[in-house]
Amino acid sequence: MRLLLLIISLIAFTANAQENLNGKWLVENIAAASLKKNALGYVPDKQVGVYLPPSYFSSKKNYPVVYFLEGYGGRIDESAYVATLVDSLIKKNQIPEMIFIQISGDYSFRGSFYVNSPVTGNWEDFVVKDVTNFVDTHYRTISDSESRAIVGMSMGGFGVLNLAMLHPDIYALAYAMSPGLFDEEGLANCQIFRDGGTIDPILSLITKLDKLSTEEAHKEYLKYVGEIKDWNIEFTLAYGMAFAPNTKKAPYFDYPVSIVNGDTIVEKDKWEKWERGFGGLEEELTSYKNNLNKLKLLSIDCGYNDVFKWIVDGSVFYANLLRDNKISHSFELNQGDHGSMFVYQMYHKVLPTVAAGFKYENE
């Protein structure tokens, strides 16, 4: 039902999207220097989606920019489904003109989490350096942090909060939708370890790879990934390589769980690595409070019917931390689940809120 609602809500905006745009949608190839050094050995072949507003080709104006981070497995869409939302609002004079950039964190494991990792590549740097510099040098942008917003959903929502926290000098406006966040019990409640459903298959994989040479293990691992049928296992592998990377040998992460004489053993230091991925929020607020206070906009929303309950719990937990630390922000629980309110929120909340906060030319 969740997927059906999302598809239905997109139809009005995606049917013949490019033909109906007043602005222009481009898919650009981009040099991804930050991703070239990765233990997986993949060659980055990256693209970004670029929406240029209606007046772009008939004026000499400079424009603010929204950077949109896709969720787990989200790819650059030739149909311009999100850009159509921006175009529609501009067409109706509900927001000023802006440039809109779609960024995908997808690669062979489908989810980079937009963090730097010696295994998967430096995805934080890809967004902050490669993409942002590309946009500023190829298009007429207002190259000011108050004219740059970073927006995203799910894995992209986590990326929004993390990158804005680390780089308020680059992006002064941040809006995260259903972000990957952990409260104190989030990792245990997440599908990564909840009910032990992924533990046995991953331990079996590790045991198999341990018996092989480094080169053979690498080949077997990539083959295994190509044949995965269980999304939870795939997500767990991607999460581990992003947040607990180990370049020595496939599967390229430090796994916190082992079985010894029938007993389940959890190694605390490794568990904490996994926990700090979407978690460690109290420590982050302590370390980056000054950065967060520099943001002009910090907004979070999620659906209280999200099938990933740990996202709701984590979002509420983080919003409470922001409140307790007197960090200016907005937080909304809406009636949706994980994605069913995406179009509505983007159209009625996210884009208008960001547009209202932008610094425009000549201001």
Side-chain angles (χ1 to χ4, degrees), residues 108-324:
S108 52
F109 281 77
R110 299 184 69 218
S112 66
F113 302 91
Y114 304 103
V115 298
N116 288 346
S117 164
V119 173
T120 66
N122 291 335
W123 285 86
E124 174 189 333
D125 292 347
F126 171 68
V127 175
V128 174
K129 297 178 180 179
D130 299 349
V131 176
T132 303
N133 290 341
F134 173 85
V135 172
D136 279 345
T137 55
H138 284 74
Y139 301 102
R140 295 197 311 277
T141 67
I142 305 171
S143 55
D144 184 294
S145 64
E146 293 189 15
S147 300
R148 294 193 197 101
I150 189 163
V151 171
M153 165 77 189
S154 194
M155 180 186 80
F158 164 79
V160 165
L161 297 177
N162 190 49
L163 296 183
M165 176 185 71
L166 296 174
H167 303 284
D169 55 323
I170 305 296
Y171 317 102
L173 297 91
Y175 200 121
M177 309 166 70
S178 302
L181 292 174
F182 287 157
D183 65 7
E184 300 99 321
E185 302 299 325
L187 179 59
N189 292 327
C190 177
Q191 67 271 17
I192 293 174
F193 291 109
R194 189 188 61 223
D195 302 327
T198 65
I199 294 176
D200 286 345
I202 290 178
L203 286 176
S204 295
L205 172 64
I206 291 171
T207 299
K208 181 179 182 179
L209 296 176
D210 280 346
K211 296 176 181 177
L212 303 176
S213 68
T214 301
E215 184 177 343
E216 290 172 334
H218 180 80
K219 291 179 181 178
E220 183 63 29
Y221 187 44
L222 296 184
K223 178 184 176 185
Y224 176 86
V225 170
E227 297 172 350
I228 289 178
K229 299 291 191 292
D230 189 327
W231 178 88
N232 291 324
I233 294 174
E234 179 188 67
F235 182 89
T236 302
L237 298 178
Y239 185 96
M241 290 186 294
F243 296 113
N246 186 328
T247 60
K248 292 180 181 178
K249 188 177 181 181
Y252 300 118
F253 55 74
D254 293 322
Y255 198 58
V257 178
S258 59
I259 306 295
V260 179
N261 297 324
D263 294 326
T264 301
I265 307 298
V266 177
E267 295 184 52
K268 184 179 178 182
D269 58 335
K270 293 180 180 178
W271 179 269
E272 288 176 350
K273 283 185 182 179
W274 286 66
E275 202 165 42
R276 284 195 298 269
F278 280 167
L281 301 178
E282 290 175 290
E283 293 81 3
E284 286 185 353
L285 278 180
T286 299
S287 299
Y288 294 100
K289 185 173 181 178
N290 289 339
N291 278 10
L292 291 167
N293 279 322
K294 292 178 182 177
L295 295 175
K296 189 175 182 181
L297 172 72
L298 176 58
S299 294
I300 304 164
D301 72 47
C302 68
Y304 60 75
N305 291 311
D306 200 316
V307 292
F308 303 115
K309 189 176 183 300
W310 54 269
I311 285 181
V312 182
D313 295 340
S315 296
V316 171
F317 178 72
Y318 188 57
N320 288 339
L321 286 176
L322 292 171
R323 180 200 63 202
D324 294 344

